[in-house]
Amino acid sequence: MKSLQGLTYEIDDLDEAIKELESQIDKSQLLKNTAAIVFCDYETDVPILIEKLNETFDFPFIGCTGLGLLSSDGFSQSSISITVLTADDCSFEIGITEDIQTNDQLELVGKKYKELSERAGNSGGMIFAYAPWWDNILISDVVTILDNASGGVPVFGGIASDAWTFDKYCVFSNEKASGNSVVMMLVYGNIRPVFTIEHSTTGLTNSHKVVTKSKDTKVYTLNDEPAIAYLEEAGIFNEKTDVFLDYLATPFISTMFKPDDDDEIDILRALVSINHDVGACDFLGSVEEGSELNMVLISKKDIEGSVKKAFDDIFEMIEKTEDYKYSTILCSSCGARYSLIVSDKNTEGKAYINRLPEGINVQGFYSYGEYCPAKGKRHGKLYNALSNESLAIVAF
């Protein structure tokens, strides 16, 4: 598989933006099968962008909005990026679900996956999926549904973002834009993805507590005590209800156990709200009973040091993989990290600029949640999961 990349800082004049993108894509290099991933600033007129892309390119695409983008040139804002994937030995199926308004309607995600996989005639080697921000739907269930429907095919992607207003995000394909749908691309054939997730949590509190009562995203008790007791003990208790932005620097490591495989994974969970009446904490993503929670600290310094390690790991995996040529690195980095790195927004970009192996393009966006397989701590098996406040990377 090869990839071709375009980037423009023009988001107001979309005719000019498309001209710039088209000038950077050498269509003579396109192979038998082609598709693209597009990320754009949340202020972009996405329906018009879709119209212009369809007029200019004759291949399907998926994408979403972001409060900031990453490309081979590093960080950018008020921009649009496109990575064109093209191959003779891979094929692509793209689709977007109908609008999803309730948790019960998440079954439309599995239905769309089944439709695309049946069209392709096999189960697929990779799934890229992007979802909107929902405050009334379990966004972690998107991964669970795709994992179950596909029989464990790796899922990578994230949650569309805007400038923390939660009203300008959307996902899109060549068919439409939507604030209530899930968009996905299934890739079949010769694809050998490698993954890493960087949590940037060097400030461990080592105060592990067992989740003794929870339901979905809500944790009621830790070690049989009200969950908010943990916050009080840590000295970070907050009397507010909606606390998502207040606890960006103090997420929780959730250690989830996989008894069937005698394994466990660590994923980050962001605290979203506090129910003071019952002493419960509500997180962005499910937290299982029997798992452990441990509050951690994230600083700008932690992010700077850890991002280089994440790319070192990916570059090492690329180098060690024989008989396969990598062309693309995709990143989903949490919007919380965007906020914590303060004014130096190119902190993560500097981790790979001028270090990329020849022929490899980088594309990414800042998200409200990251879909990426997490590696088991004991046996190394990959488990599809939603993480928060993390940098997720896939190379393929």
Side-chain angles (χ1 to χ4, degrees):
M1 187 187 303
K2 294 196 303 183
S3 70
L4 311 172
Q5 189 171 81
L7 175 71
T8 177
Y9 289 91
E10 180 57 71
I11 66 169
D12 296 317
D13 185 343
L14 292 181
D15 285 321
E16 182 61 30
I18 293 299
K19 286 180 183 178
E20 291 184 17
L21 293 176
E22 184 180 25
S23 70
Q24 299 169 58
I25 304 299
D26 183 356
K27 295 181 181 179
S28 69
Q29 294 191 43
L30 300 184
L31 303 174
K32 180 180 177 182
N33 300 308
T34 302
I37 296 176
V38 180
F39 297 132
C40 66
D41 184 89
Y42 60 91
E43 294 283 8
T44 307
D45 188 334
V46 176
I48 298 299
L49 175 63
I50 293 170
E51 177 185 327
K52 301 297 182 183
L53 287 169
N54 280 328
E55 290 173 356
T56 305
F57 301 109
D58 61 357
F59 45 76
F61 52 86
I62 63 168
C64 70
T65 58
L67 74 162
L69 307 187
L70 295 168
S71 72
S72 299
D73 295 327
F75 172 81
S76 64
Q77 206 153 24
S78 299
S79 57
I80 302 169
S81 70
I82 182 170
T83 297
V84 179
L85 309 175
T86 188
D88 289 329
D89 55 2
C90 287
S91 60
F92 309 92
E93 292 292 343
I94 280 175
I96 186 168
T97 69
E98 300 171 32
D99 279 4
I100 297 171
Q101 303 288 348
T102 67
N103 219 71
D104 290 342
Q105 292 177 325
L106 277 177
E107 65 181 21
L108 294 171
V109 175
K111 179 180 178 182
K112 178 58 66 174
Y113 173 83
K114 182 179 179 181
E115 172 191 323
L116 297 178
S117 61
E118 288 179 348
R119 186 189 304 169
N122 65 53
S123 60
M126 183 77 202
I127 303 169
F128 296 100
Y130 297 92
W133 169 269
W134 283 302
D135 58 9
N136 64 325
I137 293 175
L138 294 175
I139 56 177
S140 51
D141 278 3
V142 171
V143 179
T144 302
I145 289 169
L146 287 172
D147 183 70
N148 291 336
S150 68
V153 170
V155 179
F156 187 90
I159 310 301
S161 65
D162 55 22
W164 301 109
T165 59
F166 304 103
D167 60 2
K168 291 186 177 180
Y169 57 80
C170 77
V171 303
F172 55 88
S173 73
N174 52 296
E175 298 177 28
K176 67 176 183 177
S178 173
N180 293 291
S181 299
V182 174
V183 66
M184 65 188 77
M185 174 194 293
L186 280 56
V187 184
Y188 306 90
N190 186 25
I191 181 170
R192 294 168 65 179
V194 291
F195 307 90
T196 189
I197 303 176
E198 180 52 59
H199 299 314
S200 304
T201 52
T202 57
L204 298 175
T205 60
N206 292 317
S207 180
H208 297 266
K209 293 189 182 291
V210 177
V211 178
T212 46
K213 183 180 179 182
S214 69
K215 182 178 180 182
D216 300 327
T217 62
K218 293 179 175 59
V219 175
Y220 294 95
T221 62
L222 293 165
N223 289 0
D224 293 323
E225 296 182 347
I228 60 171
Y230 194 135
L231 306 180
E232 294 168 342
E233 292 172 14
I236 60 168
F237 179 72
N238 192 320
E239 294 185 357
K240 294 166 61 177
T241 298
D242 297 321
V243 296
F244 185 35
L245 299 182
D246 299 79
Y247 288 91
L248 291 182
T250 53
F252 289 74
I253 285 282
S254 173
T255 301
M256 302 174 64
F257 299 97
K258 304 292 182 180
D260 291 345
D261 298 316
D262 185 32
D263 214 340
E264 60 187 66
I265 59 172
D266 283 346
I267 56 177
L268 268 187
R269 282 287 176 259
L271 182 58
V272 176
S273 64
I274 301 172
N275 185 323
H276 295 277
D277 292 335
V278 297
C281 293
D282 195 4
F283 293 87
L284 179 57
S286 60
V287 181
E288 299 173 358
E289 287 187 1
S291 62
E292 292 181 353
L293 286 181
N294 180 23
M295 191 188 78
V296 295
L297 309 176
I298 301 178
S299 68
K300 179 177 182 290
K301 184 178 179 181
D302 294 332
I303 293 172
E304 290 174 342
S306 63
V307 175
K308 181 179 181 300
K309 178 183 180 301
F311 278 94
D312 286 344
D313 291 345
I314 277 290
F315 294 155
E316 183 179 357
M317 285 185 272
I318 289 173
E319 186 177 344
K320 286 183 176 180
T321 304
E322 299 179 353
D323 303 322
Y324 183 86
K325 185 174 178 59
Y326 288 84
S327 65
T328 311
I329 292 174
L330 283 183
C331 308
S332 298
S333 186
C334 185
R337 299 166 68 89
Y338 170 95
S339 298
L340 291 169
I341 55 183
V342 199
S343 60
D344 187 6
K345 297 305 183 187
N346 203 27
T347 293
E348 296 191 311
K350 288 187 293 188
Y352 60 79
I353 293 175
N354 300 322
R355 299 179 59 216
L356 290 173
E358 185 177 356
I360 290 184
N361 291 310
V362 171
Q363 186 188 30
F365 80 113
Y366 282 92
S367 67
Y368 286 155
E370 301 74 58
Y371 296 147
C372 183
K375 183 179 290 187
K377 295 161 66 176
R378 298 175 184 170
H379 307 300
K381 180 179 176 179
L382 294 176
Y383 300 89
N384 285 318
L386 166 76
S387 290
N388 312 139
E389 303 206 25
S390 302
L391 170 65
I393 307 175
V394 60
F396 58 97

